[in-house]
Structure formats: C-alpha cells, structure tokens
Amino acid sequence: MAAPKTISIKLKVWRQSNPEAKGEFKTYQATDVSPHMSFLEMLDVVNGDIIKAGDDPIAFDHDCREGICGSCGAVVNGEAHGPKSQVTLCQLHMRSFNDGDEITLEPWRASAFPVVKDLVVDRSAFDRIIAAGGYISVKTGSAPDAHCLPVSKVDADAAFDAAQCIGCGACVAACPNASASLFVGAKVSQFSLLPQGQPERKSRVKKMVWQMDSEGFGNCSNAFACEAACPKGITVDFISRMNREL
Amino acid sequence: MKLHSNEPDGKLSEKWEKHKFQMKLVNPANKRKVKLIVVGTGLAGASASASLSELGYDVHTFCIHESPRRAHSIAAQGGINAAKNYRNDGDSVYRLFYDTIKGGDFRARESNVHRLAENSVKIIDQCVAQGVPFAREYGGLLDNRSFGGAQVSRTFYAKGQTGQQLLLGAYSAMMKEVNAGGVKLYHSCEMLDLVLVDGKARGIIVRNLRTGELETHAADAVIVATGGYGNVFYLSTNAKQSNVTAAWRCHKRGAFMANPCYTQIHPTCIPVKGDYQSKLTLMSESLRNDGRVWVPKKKDDTRKPSEIPDEERDYYLERKYPSFGNLVPRDIAARNAKEQCDDGKGVSESGLAVYLDFRDAIKRDGRKAVEARYGNLFDMYYQIIDSNPYEEPMVIYPAVHYTMGGLWVDYNLMSNVPGLHVLGEANFSDHGANRLGASALMQGLSDGYFVIPSTIGNYISSTDLPKVSETDKAFEDAKKECQDYIDKLLGIKGSKTVDEFHRELGLVMWDLCGMARDKAGLEEAIKRIRDIRDQFWKDVHVSGEQNNLNQELEKAGRVADYMEFAEQFAIDALHREESCGGHFRTEHQTEEGEAKRDDENFSYVAAWEFKGVGNAPELHKEELVFEEVQPSQRSYK
C-alpha cells in the first residue's frame, strides 16, 4: 500500500490564555498532513509538537468527533466550521485543503459567547435559553400512551428537522449581528409543530426570545448566514415560524 | 463476601410491583431537605436529575462538559427497544426480557432485566410526551424497525439520531427543573473522588475545569451515571472525553467493579486508516436491516466490489446463520468479520474490512426509501471515507463500542458502598456479557426515569444520615489527596505526551484483550500494562498549570486511571475460563467456533474489590440464579 500523498499547511491560530488575557494570532506549521486526517486530528498532531517543544497546546472543544455532540467549532478562514457545507469541524477532512494553504483559525466571536481559552468559548447562554422555556412540561410517569396522539408525518418530519440542532453556535458565529435566532427558532418550531407542544406554545416563545435578548445576542436582519453555516442544514424557515409565533 | 441482589422473592413478573410497595417512602415535605448529587448528564443522569427534582428532592447535578447536552448518549444512532407490540408481531414484555437475557448470553440478573422490559413501554410514552420526534408512519402513529438479535420490530427511532433526540428530551426535562430551582447544575466539573463518612457515600470532590479549583460537595446520597470505559482501548466509538475516572475512583473507595472484561465490539464501524487516528466512527447496526455483509470468496481478491459477481461473493452471515442472517447479535457479527479477515478475505487496502452492501435494498425499495432510512449515516460515511455508499458498498470493521461491565449494583441500583448508586452504562446490571442493539438507551432511561426515583427514597428513609459538612475532615482529606495527585502528574515533566501513552495502552488492549483472548496473551497483557504504567509515572509530560483550563491535565488523570483499570480488566478476562457473549476465550469454543459457556463454574457476576495499585484485586461472587429461563447454547442459526 503506497503512502498517501501528504500536504503542508500554515496555521494562524488565535491564542488567548484566559478570558481576561489579550489574545493574539500565532503561527504554526503542520507538515506531513495526510488528506485522510480530520481537521481535529491535524490539530492533535500540531499539539503533540507544541507539547514536545515545552509550550501550552491549543485548547479547543471537541468530544464525539462525529458531528453530533456540538462541542467543536472554530472559524476557519472566516467561515464557521470551515469551507464545506453542512459539516462540523470534526468531520471536515484535510482533503478539503491543498498543499501550502494558509489557514486562519479563530474562536466563535460573539459577546454572548465569551472566550474561555484559545478556541474554547462559553456557550452556557444556550442552556439558559433552553431553561427559560425550551421544553414541554411533562412530569415523569404522567405521560399517556404514546399512540393516543397521532401526529401527521409531515409535521413530525418537520419537527425532527428542527430538532436536529446540535447547539454548536455556528449560527451565532456566522451572523453579522451574533443573533441566536436560528437556534431559538429551531427549538420553538419543534414544539409548536407538535400537538404535545400546544399548551405552552404562546408562553414558550416569549420566554425563550426574552432570554435570548437578555443574553446579549443580536437581532435577525435576514442575512441568512446562519443557514449557510449550520452543519445540520437547519433553515431560516424556522426563524420565520418563530416570528409568527411571537 | 457473598453478594446479594436484594431483590424481593416471588414471581419474576411481580417483583418490581411488589418491591415498589414494600419500599419505604419519604414524606413529600421532607424530600426538599434531602440533598442528592448526580454525576453525569447522559440519558441516565439527566433523566434521574429531572425525575428526582420533580419528586421534590434537592438535586445537584455535575457534568464534565460545558453543557449537559454534550453527554455521549447524544451519539447513539439506531434506536430504543420497547415491548409495545404495535406491530402485532408477537412481541411482549416477556419476549423482550427473554431476548435480552439470551442476547446477554445468560450472564445478567433475571430480575433486573425483567424490570427493564416492563419499563420499556413507559419510556416511549414519556419521550413522546416530551416532544421527541420519533419516526412516524403516514397514519400518524409511530414507526418501528427490527434490530440485531431480535425477530420482532420493537425498535423506535428518529432517523439515525435516536440518542440525540432522547438525550435532548431528558436534557430539556432537566433544564425545566433547573428553571424551577430543583436542580442546581454544575457544568465543566469533573468528579475526582467519592467522599465516605461512616462508610456511607456522602459527597464528592470535583475539579472545576475552567478555573482548576478543587471543590467539595456534601449530600445525603451520591448517584454516579458517568458512562462506560471503552476508551481504555484508546480507539473506540466513544467520545474523546468518555472516561472511567469517576467509576474507578469510587472503586478505589470500596465499590466493587463487576465483569470489567465484558466489552462490546461493534461489528459495523469505519475501519482504522492511520496512526494519527483519534477515534472510530460507528455506522448504526440498523444498517444491517437492509445492508448485506459479504467478502469475496477468493482470498486476496483485489477486484473492485462491483466487478465481483454474486456467485463469487460469500454472504457469510446469511450462509452461516440462515434464520437471523445479517441480524445476528453484535458479538457474533463482529467475530465473524474478524474470522473472514484473518482468513485473508478482508477487503480495502488494509485487508481489515468487510463489505456492507446496499445494492439489493436500493434495487428493491428504491434509492429514496433507503435515503429516508439512513440518509444521515450515508452522508457521515461519505464525509469520512470519501466514497458514495449508494454506489459502492461500505467498508466496515468491528470497533470497541460499549462496556457491559461496570460498578456492581444490587436490585436498587446501589453499589456495595451504602448511598452510592450507579446508573446506566456505568453499572454492570442488565446486559450480561453482550448487549443487544437499541438496549442501552432503554437501560439508561429506565434507570433514571423509573428505577432510581423509587429506590432512592427507600435508602433515604431507612438509613440514619446525620448531617455532614463540606469542611469535615473526610472532605478535607479527600481534597488533599486529589491535590497531591494533580501535583504529581504536573511534576513529572517527562518526554512523552499523554496521548502517546494512551495509544500504547490501547494497542495492548486491542491486540491481547480484544475480540479474541487467550491465557498467554492475557498474562502478557498484564505484564505490558504494568510496564506502560510504570513508564507513564516516570516519563509523561503534562503541560500547563492547574489553575486554568488544562485539557492535558484532564486527559492525564483519565489515562492514569485507565492504566490501573486495564490491569483489572485483563485479570477478569484471565480468570473467566469460558467464552460468553463479547468475552471470547479461544480455548473455549464449540467445534463451529461459537462461544462455549461453562455454566457449572462461571454462572456468576465477578465483582472485584480494590486492594491497591498493582495488587491482585479480591474476587467476590454474585451467583446468577435462573428461575424463569433455562440457560442454553445461544443459537441464531
């Protein structure tokens, strides 16, 4: 088996040692990068070299590395999650780059997502939005039989499309206003499409939007950058639905 | 010590109802004075937190992630079983119970498994009420599919993202309680120790991963739901942060670790490609409903799959197991793939892969139908492998996926340490030596929504729990031990990275404690694990400092625990002189190469007591009593 052709990449990475520190870009060279590597595996290799050189490795969030946990994410050459459509950073592979490319890597930029360290940001604002109303209030044990409420397949499928959100925050990072409208719109829509979600329908959207605003996310101005950046292909139709629900 | 399950007497199907009545209750007004710690926010931890808070308990929930929604349950793909019999195909609580006991190769506790099957139907109701968007049919009712190891269609699903949808359901139920004030949530916190006062679990030590600070938290009982230990193999389908640390530190405080060698190697994963590989990706077992597994009949066949005519293909699962075909349980499918590759029939550049082919399904049902069922899985495969599974068969190979072993618990899900309860994958209880597909989600939610809310009350109301404070000596001592441990790790300043040691350990585990094990190999593994561990403590380089976000330090603590745990894993595998489920000892097989159990000598749960690092752990046995089902040689032919 012939060794795959490898490439070299120049990385400009945002380094910031803590929330208060003033960050800066630092340059690293990644050599012998296999095109089969994932982007994060390339970062692992770079970090191995940084550690051996006695420095602090680049901090980045990641966990499942299969595009579902929503932990990873960085702005790659100005694009949230990088150049490929509907792909998280962990599922981006180095075959998307060419030998000699220069890659600039930044954390999500939004005042509601303060930087913790390097590429790691604090997205707990999303949890607070969910806590404000992103649920159907049903206590354990009190549910009726699952088949007592038929749901049309069309509605169920649309609710699923909305429910696919992984909470990564790319929509916020991509939005010129750092709005969380796609995130909130998706959750509001999931429940408003389902019969189970009807009793709290009116109050849910108000509570969630109010929380979004008080977290410091901006307004939606129909730039649609969120839809383009969303790794799960969630569409701005759900923002329209949220606005109708309000 | 002889271990007892503490289950009630009587008829199996009536045990849980009877137990619920016999258990003592906590007065509603008193519940708010009872403080409970829950560690982990996967399906088990999140559902437990929500349900306990709804009952009125003062719940304090901890997770290592920056958000509880990131827990690894989110990655489960295929589905969740429930004995609803919506398909009218002969399913029942008893059949689900029977399939699970048999699937586990008769190494699970009957009473726990029956309760699991009973609860399964309520889980679906609960999740639907929460707004979990399960797949539906045009009539508006829920759709089902069949899954490995079962001949009925009892699996509920949401495309290939069932775990995500169920976890978001449990997460939102918990966030509702956060909002109501019943759950206090601590994110980015890693449990480093269990604190015992008068022999009872009364609190934990955590490290705040953002600030590095060590914190003490006291409570009336501790519930650990921190998942499995598959990452002891380094490469597995587990998320990178999944770890054994919380469970192992409980073990070092006296909780027994049961059946650690029972590991599930999942048959359908994307094969390894290079040394840099950081994890393996699962392709849901549901794919075996429509995909046909095959290898070329000829050894070292280098032709493209499309150039190999049907008569020169060996659909070996269909050939060897005509009644279950491609739907045999995971352990059997995995072992057969290894066998074919060992025999020189493996495909792909490495020769360590077999085909999973959708050609016939697409011909039969059309591309659209296949896309509706597996679209997201096909996309994920395409992203990783850069080959289109609609046109070319997938290449797959087994990978470590789930761990059936875990902390020993009784029928109440309490460990041998009073007050320490263990839920979900972190305990050993329901899957025996092999877990059937779509059963993990069921167990996590059964434990969290329906079991612990009942059993914890009985413990609280029947136990004397004097007030303890976070400044008590037991807490201060445990905190100091954690601090010393961290100082030691940071102080080594050796020459190798944490990942390098973890990879080295993983290779030993995969080669010698993986899909096939034997005595000589396991003895060699123990020797090598000890060597790697010695080297680790001399030569690891943990960069950075304690009082900051330090991902290397987090990894180092977890890998250090894996190095201790791995030895016990191998000791357990060595002691179990039989083959059962996922534990395959090459010395113990039938003439046809199937696992050969030894019920006379090994029909027990092996629960190990910690006796110090490098010392032989002490074995305690819980005899497995089969009153309902007669253990037999599993046959899927």
Side-chain angles (χ1 to χ4, degrees):
Chain A
M1 163 186 170
K5 213 170 151 274
T6 61
I7 57 172
S8 285
I9 299 284
K10 191 173 165 191
L11 282 173
K12 263 176 71 187
V13 185
W14 183 259
R15 301 302 309 264
Q16 180 176 339
S17 57
N18 61 63
E20 286 77 38
K22 190 171 175 295
E24 59 176 342
F25 281 106
K26 281 197 178 157
T27 305
Y28 302 91
Q29 197 68 42
T31 50
D32 291 330
V33 175
S34 158
H36 294 315
M37 273 183 184
S38 72
F39 197 89
L40 299 187
E41 282 167 349
M42 181 274 295
L43 282 183
D44 289 341
V45 173
V46 170
N47 269 344
D49 294 342
I50 295 177
I51 294 167
K52 297 224 160 164
D55 293 328
D56 205 20
I58 303 158
F60 60 93
D61 257 333
H62 65 98
D63 200 21
C64 77
R65 297 200 176 196
E66 48 190 74
I68 195 74
C69 74
S71 298
C72 71
V75 177
V76 182
N77 289 339
E79 291 183 278
H81 288 303
K84 290 204 85 171
S85 150
Q86 296 194 24
V87 167
T88 53
L89 190 63
C90 64
Q91 294 293 79
L92 179 66
H93 281 69
M94 295 312 289
R95 64 179 83 94
S96 299
F97 298 93
N98 298 312
D99 192 33
D101 277 0
E102 188 174 306
I103 300 175
T104 305
L105 213 49
E106 298 168 79
W108 290 166
R109 303 278 191 197
S111 58
F113 287 166
V115 173
V116 175
K117 185 180 179 183
D118 299 340
L119 305 176
V120 178
V121 298
D122 184 340
R123 288 169 286 195
S124 46
F126 272 8
D127 287 329
R128 290 188 291 273
I129 293 174
I130 297 295
Y135 39 77
I136 289 169
S137 300
V138 51
K139 285 193 171 148
T140 304
S142 56
D145 183 88
H147 268 180
C148 75
L149 259 189
V151 183
S152 92
K153 185 168 164 54
V154 176
D155 288 343
D157 287 352
F160 175 84
D161 288 344
Q164 287 194 82
C165 168
I166 57 173
C168 66
C171 48
V172 174
C175 177
N177 312 322
S179 170
S181 291
L182 192 64
F183 172 78
V184 178
K187 192 46 82 180
V188 164
S189 299
Q190 178 194 342
F191 294 139
S192 68
L193 280 159
L194 295 171
Q196 304 92 302
Q198 299 311 310
E200 295 165 289
R201 183 171 172 176
K202 288 247 150 52
S203 62
R204 177 184 304 114
V205 64
K206 287 197 184 97
K207 288 178 189 167
M208 291 181 76
V209 169
W210 187 87
Q211 188 65 35
M212 164 172 74
D213 290 346
S214 58
E215 293 287 348
F217 293 103
N219 286 326
C220 172
S221 59
N222 303 331
F224 295 3
C226 53
E227 181 179 305
C230 176
K232 294 291 141 183
I234 293 172
T235 67
V236 292
D237 296 352
F238 295 122
I239 300 181
S240 314
R241 184 176 284 278
M242 172 180 75
N243 291 335
R244 281 203 302 279
E245 298 286 332
L246 259 177
Chain B
M1 188 203 292
K2 248 204 152 38
L3 289 167
H4 296 287
S5 65
N6 296 324
E7 67 197 72
D9 304 330
K11 220 172 140 207
L12 183 67
S13 58
E14 289 161 13
K15 280 190 182 194
W16 180 230
E17 282 304 315
K18 184 175 166 189
H19 194 58
K20 278 198 283 188
F21 179 70
Q22 284 173 345
M23 283 188 291
K24 287 188 195 154
L25 300 171
V26 180
N27 176 327
N30 287 338
K31 281 186 184 138
R32 74 176 72 97
K33 296 181 214 152
V34 175
K35 183 174 166 187
L36 302 174
I37 283 175
V38 179
V39 187
T41 59
L43 288 176
S47 59
S49 299
S51 308
L52 292 167
S53 170
E54 285 165 5
L55 288 173
Y57 292 108
D58 177 21
V59 180
H60 293 244
T61 300
F62 298 77
C63 68
I64 55 173
H65 296 94
E66 41 117 30
S67 164
R69 66 181 290 157
R70 313 258 183 246
H72 189 51
S73 305
I74 200 120
Q77 297 172 355
I80 177 166
N81 287 330
K84 284 281 197 186
N85 194 30
Y86 283 158
R87 283 305 179 95
N88 195 29
D89 56 0
D91 201 11
S92 62
V93 165
Y94 192 84
R95 187 178 292 281
L96 175 53
F97 153 75
Y98 178 82
D99 285 352
T100 309
I101 283 279
K102 176 187 169 195
D105 218 355
F106 307 96
R107 288 293 174 264
R109 196 188 281 151
E110 276 191 340
S111 55
N112 279 56
V113 176
H114 198 278
R115 175 175 66 190
L116 177 67
E118 289 170 52
N119 286 341
S120 70
V121 293
K122 292 196 289 182
I123 294 170
I124 300 305
D125 299 341
Q126 188 64 32
C127 295
V128 166
Q130 287 169 348
V132 169
F134 284 119
R136 288 180 185 263
E137 296 177 322
Y138 281 100
L141 301 180
L142 296 166
D143 193 15
N144 292 113
R145 58 186 173 199
S146 55
F147 233 65
Q151 286 173 314
V152 293
S153 282
R154 62 160 75 100
T155 304
F156 295 78
Y157 67 101
K159 279 203 181 159
Q161 287 147 261
T162 318
Q164 179 197 25
Q165 296 309 318
L166 295 177
L167 181 68
L168 293 181
Y171 156 77
S172 58
M174 180 177 74
M175 295 314 283
K176 162 178 72 69
E177 293 304 303
V178 168
N179 194 48
V183 173
K184 183 160 167 48
L185 184 67
Y186 304 76
H187 69 84
S188 309
C189 279
E190 178 163 21
M191 172 176 165
L192 293 184
D193 211 346
L194 177 74
V195 182
L196 304 185
V197 178
D198 297 331
K200 300 189 188 82
R202 295 305 301 271
I204 59 172
I205 310 291
V206 301
R207 178 168 178 265
N208 180 320
L209 301 179
R210 293 272 173 84
T211 64
E213 213 173 310
L214 294 178
E215 300 170 5
T216 51
H217 295 271
D220 294 297
V222 176
I223 297 164
V224 166
T226 50
Y229 48 80
N231 276 345
V232 69
F233 288 83
Y234 185 70
L235 287 180
S236 81
T237 65
N238 285 189
K240 294 295 284 177
Q241 308 210 54
S242 301
N243 66 79
V244 79
T245 287
W248 188 248
R249 309 245 170 134
C250 289
H251 175 62
K252 290 173 91 166
R253 291 287 177 193
F256 296 168
M257 181 64 78
N259 302 332
C261 79
Y262 290 167
T263 314
Q264 177 158 86
I265 316 267
H266 196 290
T268 53
C269 302
I270 296 180
V272 177
K273 282 219 298 294
D275 299 335
Y276 52 80
Q277 188 109 18
S278 61
K279 75 142 331 198
L280 297 171
T281 303
L282 174 78
M283 286 284 108
S284 167
E285 171 165 331
S286 61
L287 294 169
R288 286 199 275 140
N289 276 328
D290 287 304
R292 299 178 68 193
V293 178
W294 64 278
V295 292
K297 280 187 180 163
K298 210 172 76 185
K299 284 187 188 184
D300 305 314
D301 195 332
T302 52
R303 284 177 293 175
K304 278 195 197 153
S306 56
E307 290 164 358
I308 302 177
D310 253 5
E311 57 277 13
E312 289 176 47
R313 300 175 174 195
D314 182 8
Y315 293 93
Y316 56 89
L317 289 177
E318 297 170 24
R319 172 173 58 79
K320 287 175 72 178
Y321 308 95
S323 68
F324 278 71
N326 293 296
L327 291 175
V328 291
R330 292 174 177 177
D331 53 334
I332 293 174
R335 218 146 41 229
N336 273 279
K338 179 180 189 300
E339 221 173 80
Q340 296 298 330
C341 295
D342 289 351
D343 200 25
K345 295 186 183 150
V347 298
S348 172
E349 285 166 352
S350 63
L352 288 176
V354 298
Y355 290 127
L356 179 63
D357 201 337
F358 294 87
R359 183 195 65 183
D360 296 345
I362 292 171
K363 228 187 275 171
R364 187 187 63 224
D365 302 338
R367 184 180 157 140
K368 256 191 123 162
V370 171
E371 199 176 325
R373 279 174 223 151
Y374 314 112
N376 71 313
L377 299 172
F378 278 35
D379 291 348
M380 183 152 75
Y381 180 86
Y382 179 70
Q383 285 308 333
I384 297 173
I385 294 284
D386 204 20
S387 144
N388 183 351
Y390 293 103
E391 281 154 21
E392 272 197 41
M394 289 184 173
V395 287
I396 52 156
Y397 197 65
V400 174
H401 178 54
Y402 184 89
T403 53
M404 284 75 69
L407 292 173
W408 183 87
V409 289
D410 67 4
Y411 189 64
N412 298 308
L413 302 183
M414 188 163 86
S415 74
N416 57 303
V417 173
L420 174 66
H421 295 73
V422 190
L423 318 184
E425 191 180 354
N427 75 28
F428 87 102
S429 68
D430 293 4
H431 306 296
N434 171 60
R435 180 175 66 73
L436 288 182
S439 288
L441 305 184
M442 176 171 69
Q443 187 219 337
L445 291 180
S446 169
D447 287 0
Y449 282 135
F450 298 115
V451 181
I452 196 71
S454 295
T455 59
I456 198 94
N458 188 48
Y459 171 75
I460 297 292
S461 55
S462 57
T463 311
D464 183 27
L465 293 163
K467 215 166 163 41
V468 295
S469 147
E470 277 135 11
T471 52
D472 287 355
K473 189 169 180 306
F475 284 86
E476 288 302 320
D477 289 351
K479 187 174 161 185
K480 184 167 183 311
E481 279 179 47
C482 292
Q483 184 58 55
D484 292 346
Y485 198 74
I486 289 170
D487 291 343
K488 199 170 155 194
L489 283 169
L490 286 168
I492 300 166
K493 297 269 176 252
S495 68
K496 279 167 74 175
T497 64
V498 177
D499 281 348
E500 283 173 317
F501 278 106
H502 197 175
R503 269 202 193 95
E504 215 176 306
L505 175 72
L507 278 178
V508 171
M509 296 303 288
W510 181 246
D511 289 345
L512 302 174
C513 308
M515 268 188 284
R517 305 153 175 183
D518 64 37
K519 184 167 186 284
L522 290 165
E523 284 168 349
E524 173 69 16
I526 293 169
K527 206 172 119 285
R528 285 209 228 159
I529 292 163
R530 287 182 177 165
D531 284 349
I532 298 170
R533 195 169 63 218
D534 288 346
Q535 275 305 309
F536 176 86
W537 283 106
K538 279 184 202 137
D539 196 26
V540 72
H541 184 96
V542 185
S543 56
E545 61 214 14
Q546 181 187 340
N547 293 323
N548 193 356
L549 175 68
N550 185 342
Q551 295 170 322
E552 286 297 306
L553 177 60
E554 292 166 28
K555 276 194 285 188
R558 296 167 194 166
V559 173
D561 288 333
Y562 276 132
M563 303 238 168
E564 295 174 9
F565 170 74
E567 182 176 335
Q568 192 188 70
F569 183 121
I571 288 171
D572 185 43
L574 183 62
H575 117 280
R576 191 166 280 279
E577 287 278 358
E578 65 162 352
S579 294
C580 54
H583 170 63
F584 192 74
R585 285 283 300 266
T586 54
E587 304 98 320
H588 305 288
Q589 49 183 311
T590 65
E591 276 170 21
E592 293 149 316
E594 304 293 346
K596 194 171 158 195
R597 288 196 326 268
D598 177 356
D599 289 338
E600 205 171 309
N601 295 303
F602 287 96
S603 184
Y604 61 77
V605 177
W608 300 93
E609 181 181 358
F610 185 72
K611 291 286 178 188
V613 179
N615 296 336
E618 189 181 339
L619 175 64
H620 303 277
K621 296 179 184 175
E622 181 199 334
E623 292 298 333
L624 290 169
V625 184
F626 291 92
E627 288 173 341
E628 195 69 37
V629 174
Q630 198 50 44
S632 57
Q633 163 82 33
R634 278 191 311 172
S635 171
Y636 292 93
K637 294 187 186 285

